[in-house]
């Protein structure tokens, strides 16, 4: 029996979950040399990106959200990190992938889970004054330092456009920031500081989420501007210019830029007209409006099409379904398990300070089952906080 | 008609009830077919472990053995036993019985592995 090859591009949450689940189920086939599962990634360290939002406020430490990738992935899976794992070209017709190191990897099944990255070129002037928690741990720690050392002033949280991964995070950050400046820095609202939230869409999240979010910002006195489309940043005068010609002044600009997929995907010519990897929204198999489809290629997580929300919760459920579909493919079972659009976003109403307990709720919904009215609670906050601590050992290992 | 007492929850208790119900909603939203299967698989593994523990007197033997004061002393100051020491210790009746148990367990493991 010839060896089947499952190639996974990306060793992040999706890649690790799928590799762990499939290798556990197919461990005998791997042991008999009938199956090979290989992960390619340029990075050997995993970061829980959802945790970045909490780092500037000391709610999580760098150690909490960092793990060596190899320790998270089953020894049954081959991991190639570094230059030999950095993908440069994906050839779907030839079923092979090339890397910086010069290796060519052939596959029978391909999982593309290469995530996304900030597009700094999309907004002129942004690169010269870019403060964020959306790129990596270093940038997030720099932002932490800036916030700690900032005497007072106007803080603007700007989301430049869509899509961004974790669309709830900028809003979560706003609430946590407000509690931080009030209770930790002791700023008096309205006098020492203002926080302004600039958002490119009319709503933040689905209607029920938006309702509570809007009310929360209003009660906190945070300026809340929707459908704000920035056209340029002026770092010397510290101003944001909008498409409508409006000018917003800032002392500290925290930006969540619009995102784009990994460069290798663009270079390979496999992105759709919106610039992302196209897939069937149920099977998650590569499908560019029926014109080009590859039954053996799965597109999962942040790298997927714009009509599938880019969330951590969504990525987890997509990974679950894809692992099962790959197992079915390998067994020759003609059953495709659909992704029902399970996604969500933790809503944070308040943080845990000296004067109050934190309140949150993990809001979830699916493609056709909308988010119901909910109430953020103290237990919800603790559940959310606990999740990031046990995330590595339960979620990533494919145990729940 | 008899009057019936209606108990009204105080504000704090009502809040606590809401908290609990919200957690239920949260957990309910988290569950789907695949999560259930994962939870079941994990529980199955743990059940296997429980079955191993519950189905043998070896656990009771280990329970007593691990509390042996001689073991406590050895852990405080581990004796260094080389090849000669090993051969000497194997003259002791208790050690011989322990070896018997271990070797029988090893044989059983070999039998069990060969049958999967």
């Amino acid at each position: 029996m010839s060896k089947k090859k499952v190639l996974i591009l990306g060793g992040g949450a999706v890649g690790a979950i799928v590799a762990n689940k499939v290798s556990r189920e197919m461990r005998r086939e791997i042991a008999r040399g009938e199956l090979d599962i290989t992960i390619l990634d340029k990075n050997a360290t995993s970061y829980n990106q959802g945790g970045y939002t909490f780092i500037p406020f000391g709610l999580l430490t760098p150690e909490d959200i960092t793990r060596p990738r190899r320790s998270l992935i089953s020894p049954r899976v081959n991991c190639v990190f570094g230059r030999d794992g950095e993908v440069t070209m994906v050839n779907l017709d030839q079923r092979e992938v090339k890397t910086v190191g010069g290796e060519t990897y052939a596959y029978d099944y391909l999982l593309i889970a290469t995530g996304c990255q900030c597009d700094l070129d999309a907004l002129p002037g942004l690169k010269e004054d870019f403060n964020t928690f959306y790129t990596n741990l270093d940038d997030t720690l720099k932002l932490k330092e800036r916030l700690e050392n900032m005497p007072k002033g106007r803080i603007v949280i700007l989301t430049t456009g869509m899509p961004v991964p974790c669309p709830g995070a900028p809003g979560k950050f706003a609430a946590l920031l407000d509690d931080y400046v009030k209770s930790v820095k002791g700023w008096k609202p309205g006098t020492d500081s203002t926080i302004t939230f600039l958002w490119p869409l009319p709503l933040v999240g689905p209607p029920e989420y938006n309702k509570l979010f809007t009310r929360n910002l209003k009660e906190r006195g945070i300026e809340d501007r929707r459908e704000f489309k920035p056209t340029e940043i002026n770092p010397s005068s510290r101003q944001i210019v909008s498409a409508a010609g409006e000018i917003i002044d800032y002392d500290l600009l925290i930006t969540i830029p619009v995102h784009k997929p990994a460069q290798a995907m663009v270079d390979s010519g496999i992105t759709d007209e919106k610039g992302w990897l196209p897939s069937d929204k149920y099977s998650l198999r590569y499908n560019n409006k029926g014109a080009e489809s590859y039954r053996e290629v799965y597109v999962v997580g942040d790298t997927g099409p714009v009509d599938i929300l880019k969330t951590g919760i969504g990525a987890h459920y997509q990974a679950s379904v894809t692992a099962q579909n790959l197992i079915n493919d390998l067994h020759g079972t003609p059953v495709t398990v659909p992704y029902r659009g399970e996604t969500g976003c933790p809503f944070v109403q308040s943080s845990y300070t000296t004067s109050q307990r934190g309140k949150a709720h993990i809001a979830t919904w699916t493609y056709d089952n909308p988010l119901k009215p909910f109430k953020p609670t103290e237990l919800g906050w603790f559940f959310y906080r606990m999740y990031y601590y046990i995330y590595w050992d339960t979620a990533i290992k494919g145990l729940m | 008609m008899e009057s019936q007492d209606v108990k009204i929850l105080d504000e704090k208790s009502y809040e606590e009830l809401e908290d609990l119900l919200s957690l239920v909603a949260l957990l309910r939203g988290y569950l789907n077919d695949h999560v259930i299967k994962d939870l079941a698989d994990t529980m199955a593994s743990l059940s296997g472990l429980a079955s191993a523990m519950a189905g043998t007197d070896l656990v009771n033997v280990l329970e007593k053995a691990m509390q042996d004061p001689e073991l406590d002393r050895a852990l405080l100051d581990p004796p260094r036993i080389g090849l000669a020491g090993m051969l000497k210790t194997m003259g002791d009746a208790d050690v011989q019985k322990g070896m018997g148990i271990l070797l029988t367990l090893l044989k059983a493991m070999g039998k069990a592995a060969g049958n999967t």
Side-chain angles (χ1 to χ4, degrees), chain A residues 357-383:
Chain A
R357 306 268 268 190
K359 283 199 170 154
H361 182 79
I362 316 258
T364 55
W365 60 93
T366 71
Y367 284 142
D368 299 312
N369 193 4
L371 175 61
K372 309 279 187 300
F374 64 91
K375 194 164 191 283
T377 61
E378 293 180 18
L379 282 180
W381 167 261
F382 285 126
F383 190 88

Side-chain angles (χ1 to χ4, degrees), chain B residues 1-85:
Chain B
M1 190 168 106
E2 282 180 24
S3 68
Q4 300 206 302
D5 285 333
V6 176
K7 289 215 159 66
I8 297 189
L9 286 176
D10 64 60
E11 174 90 37
K12 193 84 198 16
S13 302
Y14 186 72
E15 245 182 60
E16 275 156 26
L17 197 61
E18 270 191 320
D19 224 292
L20 195 62
L21 291 174
S22 219
L23 188 64
V24 170
L26 194 158
L27 289 171
R28 214 174 51 185
Y30 159 64
L31 294 174
N32 76 355
D33 288 349
H34 305 282
V35 171
I36 294 294
K37 181 165 189 300
D38 286 341
L39 285 172
D41 284 345
T42 303
M43 277 167 62
S45 278
L46 291 171
S47 299
L49 209 59
S51 171
M53 298 287 184
T56 177
D57 295 325
L58 181 62
V59 177
N60 304 69
V61 169
L62 280 171
E63 190 191 0
K64 279 247 287 281
M66 285 164 83
Q67 294 182 72
D68 192 308
E70 274 203 55
L71 180 62
D72 290 335
R73 281 192 282 275
L75 288 169
L76 281 174
D77 186 17
R80 291 183 56 174
I81 299 182
L83 196 56

Side-chain angles (χ1 to χ4, degrees), chain A residues 111-185:
Chain A
L111 165 59
I112 305 179
T114 44
C116 59
Q117 53 177 338
C118 290
D119 186 356
L120 296 183
D121 297 318
L123 185 57
L126 178 58
K127 273 192 200 153
E128 285 88 58
D129 197 356
F130 185 45
N131 310 290
T132 193
F133 56 100
Y134 254 74
T135 45
N136 53 52
L137 193 52
D138 282 338
D139 286 346
T140 306
L141 289 168
K142 282 197 193 106
L143 176 57
K144 179 180 199 296
E145 220 186 304
R146 268 203 79 167
L147 282 170
E148 276 167 4
N149 298 330
M150 192 173 171
K152 55 166 81 178
R154 294 159 302 193
I155 304 179
V156 174
I157 301 168
L158 168 68
T159 303
T160 71
M162 286 293 151
V164 302
C166 196
K172 257 179 273 179
F173 190 89
L176 293 173
L177 177 66
D178 192 54
D179 277 338
Y180 173 78
V181 301
K182 281 174 182 158
S183 65
V184 176
K185 289 182 80 74

Side-chain angles (χ1 to χ4, degrees), chain A residues 318-356:
Chain A
Q318 289 173 42
S320 229
V321 153
T322 304
Q324 187 61 57
N325 281 328
L326 272 170
I327 290 165
N328 289 354
D329 289 341
L330 291 166
H331 279 315
T333 310
V335 170
T336 298
V337 182
Y339 169 55
R340 292 176 177 85
E342 290 98 332
T343 191
C345 199
F347 176 87
V348 170
Q349 179 165 298
S350 58
S351 182
Y352 192 175
T353 67
T354 51
S355 60
Q356 77 197 7

Side-chain angles (χ1 to χ4, degrees), chain A residues 56-351:
Chain A
F57 313 111
L59 288 165
L60 285 175
T61 67
E63 291 70 41
D64 290 329
I65 61 168
T66 308
R67 286 282 170 100
R69 210 151 247 180
R70 186 66 262 199
S71 74
L72 299 169
I73 300 171
S74 170
R76 298 175 177 129
V77 176
N78 301 315
C79 289
V80 184
F81 299 135
R83 285 171 53 90
D84 290 330
E86 189 173 347
V87 175
T88 51
M89 187 64 58
V90 177
N91 191 326
L92 298 179
D93 290 319
Q94 302 280 63
R95 294 196 188 179
E96 46 180 49
V97 169
K98 287 191 161 59
T99 63
V100 167
E103 283 283 325
T104 301
Y105 294 87
Y107 64 82
D108 293 297
Y109 296 96
L110 180 69
L111 165 59
I112 305 179
T114 44
C116 59
Q117 53 177 338
C118 290
D119 186 356
L120 296 183
D121 297 318
L123 185 57
L126 178 58
K127 273 192 200 153
E128 285 88 58
D129 197 356
F130 185 45
N131 310 290
T132 193
F133 56 100
Y134 254 74
T135 45
N136 53 52
L137 193 52
D138 282 338
D139 286 346
T140 306
L141 289 168
K142 282 197 193 106
L143 176 57
K144 179 180 199 296
E145 220 186 304
R146 268 203 79 167
L147 282 170
E148 276 167 4
N149 298 330
M150 192 173 171
K152 55 166 81 178
R154 294 159 302 193
I155 304 179
V156 174
I157 301 168
L158 168 68
T159 303
T160 71
M162 286 293 151
V164 302
C166 196
K172 257 179 273 179
F173 190 89
L176 293 173
L177 177 66
D178 192 54
D179 277 338
Y180 173 78
V181 301
K182 281 174 182 158
S183 65
V184 176
K185 289 182 80 74
W187 284 3
K188 304 282 172 284
T191 54
D192 294 335
S193 69
T194 56
I195 298 176
T196 302
F197 181 78
L198 303 175
W199 187 251
L201 300 175
L203 300 184
V204 175
E208 287 300 330
Y209 191 102
N210 183 67
K211 195 168 77 184
L212 293 189
F213 179 75
T214 306
R215 196 197 311 163
N216 199 18
L217 289 207
K218 186 152 181 255
E219 281 170 8
R220 290 170 175 278
I222 295 175
E223 194 188 348
D224 183 3
R225 302 282 309 278
R226 309 289 172 88
E227 295 185 281
F228 185 91
K229 308 236 164 51
T231 49
E232 125 179 51
I233 306 291
N234 213 318
S236 45
S237 58
R238 291 209 295 255
Q239 290 175 328
I240 307 164
V241 184
S242 81
E246 195 186 345
I247 296 183
I248 307 246
D249 296 299
Y250 65 82
D251 291 306
L252 172 61
L253 174 63
I254 301 171
T255 309
I256 297 93
V258 71
H259 276 55
K260 58 181 180 176
Q263 192 54 41
M265 301 303 125
V266 179
D267 295 341
S268 303
I270 56 174
T271 53
D272 63 16
E273 85 278 6
K274 295 212 174 110
W276 295 89
L277 290 179
S279 71
D280 177 281
K281 65 191 260 201
Y282 302 109
S283 70
L284 304 179
R285 292 192 172 107
Y286 185 98
N287 192 325
N288 199 351
K289 298 195 174 18
E292 275 176 278
S293 72
Y294 297 88
R295 220 186 160 279
E296 71 281 359
V297 180
Y298 292 89
V299 172
V300 184
D302 289 349
T303 194
V306 294
D307 58 348
I308 301 179
L309 267 186
K310 298 177 194 306
T311 66
I313 296 177
H316 183 97
Y317 287 103
Q318 289 173 42
S320 229
V321 153
T322 304
Q324 187 61 57
N325 281 328
L326 272 170
I327 290 165
N328 289 354
D329 289 341
L330 291 166
H331 279 315
T333 310
V335 170
T336 298
V337 182
Y339 169 55
R340 292 176 177 85
E342 290 98 332
T343 191
C345 199
F347 176 87
V348 170
Q349 179 165 298
S350 58
S351 182

